[in-house]
Amino acid sequence: RFGVRYNFTIESKDIIMDPEIRLSLSTKVSRKRIGIELESMISGKNARPVVALEMIHTLQLAPSVFHLPTEVQKDVWEQGHAYLQQLPAMLEHCESMSSSSTTTKLNVRLVHVLCYLLPIRNITYTVKYKQYPILHYVFRESLKCKNTAVQAVVTIAKNIDHFVELLNTPFDRVRVGLLLRDVKESWVTTLFLAAIVGNTMDERLTTLYTTIRDELDECWKIRPLLDGKALIQTLDLQIG
């Protein structure tokens, strides 16, 4: 954390990369403390989130920091690092399109970590015969984040590939609206992560972003014209 915040150079990298040190980090340091230290590196005063994640990757600490409940292919961290390389350009692109009047903003706190973890977004794990997204475990158990952040991460992750499709197909207002009702205020974060996955940081991203911003932002706050009870009464349907 201090290396990131104060731009220190870590000289003894071999010591940190020692397997025994990495094992101790996983087993002897509380998960809550790891989550707090990561939070301090990616947000707040003098935070440099991209540098922080680069350092975690270079020092091969990702498996210890983002402890997973199941084995994954070793190359997922390299894939995540490749996505991370695209993040500064994406953030710059987002900044150029945003304005002070834009209601829904990019979640800067989540987007950096999620970008690095994009390769595992569709992996699940099983608890008592029930499957959960592996990112649910990472943010809830490994980093001890609040439930609101955990739910936001799960919602974003499950919709990223849907937004990739939106970026590569003609605009469908109904489909976009239904997706927005699911992701709600996380749509900007989901869209820009989808652009990284689909390598569509071009006019397709600009067009979709501006269309949603100008026409559909906050559509999830609009109440349906008829709720379930009114619909049953109008159509004279049997309850149940």
Side-chain angles (χ1 to χ4, degrees):
R1 172 166 63 117
F2 292 111
V4 171
R5 286 211 165 195
Y6 301 112
N7 200 23
F8 291 160
T9 299
I10 297 179
E11 298 291 346
S12 304
K13 294 183 179 179
D14 291 341
I15 296 177
I16 298 176
M17 295 169 65
D18 184 277
E20 188 173 343
I21 296 295
R22 297 207 302 268
L23 178 62
S24 295
L25 179 61
S26 296
T27 58
K28 296 183 180 180
V29 180
S30 74
R31 303 314 308 181
K32 186 173 183 179
R33 170 50 57 187
I34 290 175
I36 291 172
E37 294 297 323
L38 181 64
E39 174 73 18
S40 298
M41 289 190 286
I42 64 175
S43 65
K45 186 178 179 181
N46 297 326
R48 295 188 297 157
V50 174
V51 174
L53 291 166
E54 287 273 6
M55 189 175 293
I56 288 172
H57 179 79
T58 301
L59 296 174
Q60 299 178 12
L61 295 175
S64 300
V65 174
F66 307 109
H67 179 67
L68 303 177
T70 184
E71 290 291 328
V72 296
Q73 295 180 352
K74 293 182 179 179
D75 64 347
V76 298
W77 306 117
E78 292 301 327
Q79 295 171 20
H81 185 247
Y83 284 134
L84 191 64
Q85 301 301 301
Q86 302 178 52
L87 188 58
M90 185 274 281
L91 293 174
E92 185 177 344
H93 193 58
C94 180
E95 184 67 26
S96 68
M97 292 191 296
S98 300
S99 65
S100 57
S101 60
T102 304
T103 303
T104 305
K105 308 285 187 181
L106 184 75
N107 190 325
V108 179
R109 291 176 64 251
L110 288 182
V111 73
H112 291 86
V113 178
L114 269 176
C115 184
Y116 186 59
L117 299 178
L118 279 173
I120 64 173
R121 67 188 182 280
N122 294 323
I123 299 177
T124 60
Y125 71 105
T126 304
V127 177
K128 295 182 179 179
Y129 306 105
K130 187 174 181 180
Q131 287 193 327
Y132 297 89
I134 203 168
L135 286 176
H136 179 275
Y137 182 93
V138 172
F139 281 81
R140 182 170 182 172
E141 303 297 338
S142 298
L143 301 177
K144 297 297 182 181
C145 295
K146 294 181 179 179
N147 286 336
T148 52
V150 174
Q151 292 305 316
V153 165
V154 171
T155 300
I156 291 169
K158 76 175 184 179
N159 282 289
I160 286 175
D161 292 325
H162 295 310
F163 274 76
V164 171
E165 294 176 9
L166 293 181
L167 286 163
N168 290 284
T169 54
F171 183 77
D172 184 333
R173 188 180 182 88
V174 174
R175 185 184 182 194
V176 173
L178 291 173
L179 285 174
L180 291 179
R181 290 185 70 85
D182 188 17
V183 297
K184 298 182 173 61
E185 63 276 355
S186 296
W187 74 262
V188 178
T189 305
T190 309
L191 175 60
F192 279 89
L193 288 172
I196 290 178
V197 171
N199 193 25
T200 52
M201 284 190 288
D202 49 34
E203 68 280 356
R204 290 171 290 181
L205 173 60
T206 304
T207 300
L208 184 57
Y209 173 81
T210 53
T211 302
I212 295 176
R213 182 195 64 191
D214 298 340
E215 300 180 17
L216 293 171
D217 193 18
E218 296 193 322
C219 68
W220 55 89
K221 295 182 179 180
I222 301 173
R223 296 186 64 180
L225 296 177
L226 292 174
D227 59 20
K229 184 177 180 180
L231 196 61
I232 288 173
Q233 292 175 345
T234 302
L235 298 178
D236 193 24
L237 299 175
Q238 294 291 328
I239 297 178

